[in-house]
Amino acid sequence: MKILTLLLLFASLACQAQFTVTGTVRESENNYPLPFATIITDRGQTTVTDIDGKFTTDATAWFSVSYTGYKAEKIAVIPGHKGYSITLTPHTEQLKELVLERGNPADALMRKVLYNKPQNNPQLKLESFKYKTYNRLLVTANPDSISGKLDSVYVYEKAGRRFAKIDSSDFKFKKIIEKQHLYQTEKVSEFRFNKEQGLKENVLATRMAGFKHPLYEIIGLTLQSYSVYDDNIELLETKYAGPVGYDALKDYNYKILDTVSIDGRKAYMVYFKPKRDRKNKKLRGVLYIDSNNYGISKAVFRIKNVLDITSTHLFRFEESAGIWFPDGKTLKVVKGNNKQDIKILGETIKFDAADKERSKRDAVASDYVYLLSESYNFEKEFNTPTPIRHSAVAIEITEEAINRPESYWNRYRRDTLDSRSMKTYVALDSLVAKENWEYKIFLGKKIINGYVPVGMFDFDLRDIIKYNNYEGFRLGVGGITNDKFSETFRLTGYGAYGTKDGAFKYSLGSAVRVGKFSGSWVGFSYTDDVREIASTSFATDKRVFKIYDPRPINISTFYNHQTYQAYIETKIIPKTESHWQVTRSRIDPKFSYVYSPGGRSYPLFHLTTASVAIQWNPFSDFMQTPNGRIEVDKRFPKFAFQYTQSVAGILESDLTFGKLDFRAEMEKKYLNGQKTSALIQTGVAVGDSPLTHLYSTSPNNLDKDGVLGRITLAGKNSFETMYFNEFFSSQYVIVQLKHGMSRFTISNAIKLSPMLVTRFAWGNMEEPQEHEGIAFNTLEKGYYESGIELNEIFKGFGLSAFYRYGPYHLPQFDRNISLKVSFVLNLL
């Protein structure tokens, strides 16, 4: 009797078995897919089809398919049958419950959504809020999707095919993915907002499989927009026009699909797609709009391009605040159509993309890899006092956040980790430790910045070897102490020898950290070295490591400076880096030059100067980590300011002058891979300013006959057709415009990244007769050059061609042409 009872129980369970069903929904007339059709199962689960009309859901006995303007269908689930093709036929019945106004009902509805944004956007309606979020990110695959069979590989010859080997890659991949995920991270954050200080994320705990110290740059990446009400929606660091943005009705077409119930409130399902099917406007999706207050109760965004991205924003209606408030997010990323690997998350994760030209190829295991990020919000509070500490920092990660015990994580996980997830941590921790990946990444980041760590000292790769026309080969060694030496005190120094000038140069310095959060250091140094005349540099410029530095190769005019310097560098001012310094220098020009202001002559001179340099990135977001501050969301424009004042009579200083320098940078990236950038830079020097400290606007052309004789390495923002020492100015303006086109392939080995470039310079020289021993022109008439850069043609090497025109066009035609070789080293 007991056995019979168990058999009946198993039979009843089998009758209620849950099946995962997949399918495609199409319309009957043209067989076109129906995006975002509604799927409802007998279990009450509701989902929608994607842009291609495809869906995946769980059902036991049946599921229904509906789409506005089409007859609904009810499909019986057949045990063992997973794939369904559903065709809907059109009908003329309209939504009976929708009564808005004349005209397009969807546009009328969206106008109400836009009008009511101030009452529905939490950051506009609420005075303050705070909540916590648990996020989990996986890179994984469904083992059931992978055959795992052993394939025979054959070699085809004239006599026929010959067996070569057994391909077991799919089999091995399936065995791995059955036990663990490929990658996994977890994070617990607290978000705080008030109208005076804005929004900030405090990371309470973070964990990356395999790493004792997480990669903070990845944590700071923007995978999804924070708010669906923003003018731009951001997905994987790319911006799209928002469907509820300022110009939404100009950018998108809308269609009402259905009415559904969310959180017990009726909502309209509204499908949106771009009016102009341009590559930078591929965002499509569905908005669920509350029929009462016109707030967004759910949003689904979809991109199908080189990546197939689905982003879902979930909301809950909070009665106490009278608003739909974010309740969680999901993000799923699978491969799209592209010929090359797709790299995301700072190139840490790769997707093997499908090739359009070989779309009929058999699927391989890596085709099923996907990225899934899920988060949910809890402990919400509204309109209570919510002060924000360090509000200028968008994300803050403390030391304790990276060392949380397992008990802490279990407090915030909705469900305990399954065996695959636990195995992922164990397996990757072991693998990373075995392969020493954490140190390799640490070493790689050091090398990218130009250092090689050896014990307590980071050796500077820039000091090893250089070349210029004055020093010849410059051989040296130098560096800086690291945290193994001290976290609050550092020593710096270098020594170098020029094979052509036969002189030894060196620098020694030290600094003490006086503020950890602000990154404030007070330091002192002494330097005896040479520097290019009339060069412009900002003390706050990021240290950029290059295997080669092209411009100095062609420079022959330098001056020696023996400089004592005391300085303070700090980030204490919000969204800035600043450098404050006082120097005393002996300046000795190493070319035939005498400065003669007011009848006095200075073949060499002494200067005592005070200067301040500030780099201000007002629109960027910054993250504070235990290792320092990082710019995680680089936004433009960016600004740099620098003022220098030299005063005669202090510490035997000979000259009094002032210099004000300014730079603005703009950049816009497009979804199709194109990029437009602009640079405006200007400087003004007043007083007794020697030529060594004036402006040359970065020339980069040799004064040789023949175009081929002038071929050298191209600079970054230099004037390629301007000859060295041709122009000097005491006031100048530079404008540069660049537009980079999408990279395209000529052959497997040759690829082109065309960049169109136009540059303009204007300058003026006060009292040019005071600068003796060197002949030069000024730029009052305006200097123009335009050209094209073909970067990374072959293994990082490229070519550029520029033409000089306008008032300073030279009579000899070929003297206006410049051909250069470029090199881009892609370390990532």
Side-chain angles (χ1 to χ4, degrees), residues 19-53:
F19 299 98
T20 298
V21 295
T22 62
T24 303
V25 180
R26 298 179 179 273
E27 52 88 28
S28 60
E29 292 185 349
N30 299 299
N31 202 35
Y32 291 150
L34 291 176
F36 303 106
T38 303
I39 313 293
I40 301 177
T41 71
D42 54 344
R43 301 174 58 247
Q45 180 181 357
T46 301
T47 188
V48 294
T49 59
D50 63 18
I51 288 178
D52 303 313

Side-chain angles (χ1 to χ4, degrees), residues 660-704:
L660 177 63
D661 299 297
F662 169 78
R663 180 180 63 207
E665 299 173 89
M666 283 74 76
E667 181 178 287
K668 181 176 177 60
K669 294 182 179 180
Y670 305 95
L671 180 61
N672 59 7
Q674 299 189 47
K675 180 176 71 173
T676 300
S677 62
L679 170 69
I680 300 174
Q681 187 167 311
T682 184
V684 177
V686 294
D688 295 335
S689 307
L691 190 68
T692 53
H693 289 63
L694 293 181
Y695 307 105
S696 65
T697 62
S698 296
N700 192 31
N701 204 10
L702 295 176
D703 191 6
K704 294 183 178 180

